[in-house]
């Protein structure tokens, strides 16, 4: 289950509408809901808010946040080198 502190981190790195980045990532990783369809923005929102628990989706969200965090850190390091 995603806690409020974790939710803040997710929003920090994925933006105010994180489902726009999460849903394509889940499709790419072939993670689907119980019916075999893509997750809806509402279901992603429920998972991020801690209403619904889904270990597979939560794991992929954490992986996506880690990737975005690394990209931002690499960009900051590059800026420091150039400037």
């Amino acid at each position: 289950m995603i806690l409020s502190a974790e939710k803040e981190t997710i929003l920090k790195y994925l933006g105010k509408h994180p489902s726009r980045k999460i849903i394509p990532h889940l499709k790419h990783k072939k993670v689907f809901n119980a019916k075999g369809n893509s997750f809806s923005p509402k279901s992603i929102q429920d998972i991020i808010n801690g209403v619904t628990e889904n270990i597979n989706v939560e794991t992929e969200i954490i992986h996506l946040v880690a990737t975005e965090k690394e990209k931002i850190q690499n960009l900051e390091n590059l800026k420091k080198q150039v400037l």
Side-chain angles (χ1 to χ4, degrees):
M1 178 162 294
I2 294 178
L3 304 175
S4 62
E6 296 166 338
K7 177 184 173 182
E8 290 177 21
T9 303
I10 291 168
L11 295 178
K12 177 181 176 182
Y13 289 103
L14 300 182
K16 287 187 176 185
H17 303 284
S19 61
R20 292 180 182 172
K21 290 185 179 182
I22 294 170
I23 292 172
H25 176 77
L26 293 175
K27 284 181 185 178
H28 177 73
K29 293 290 188 171
K30 298 181 180 168
V31 177
F32 300 105
N33 65 14
K35 295 179 181 179
N37 299 324
S38 297
F39 284 90
S40 69
K42 174 66 175 148
S43 61
I44 298 297
Q45 181 181 14
D46 287 345
I47 292 169
I48 291 173
N49 288 331
V51 175
T52 306
E53 187 172 346
N54 186 317
I55 299 299
N56 294 330
V57 174
E58 292 175 26
T59 302
E60 290 302 326
I61 290 171
I62 299 304
H63 285 282
L64 184 59
V65 169
T67 302
E68 291 296 319
K69 184 176 179 180
E70 184 178 335
K71 285 180 184 178
I72 291 171
Q73 288 175 344
N74 288 341
L75 179 62
E76 292 299 321
N77 290 338
L78 184 61
K79 284 181 183 178
K80 287 179 184 177
Q81 290 176 358
V82 173
L83 301 173

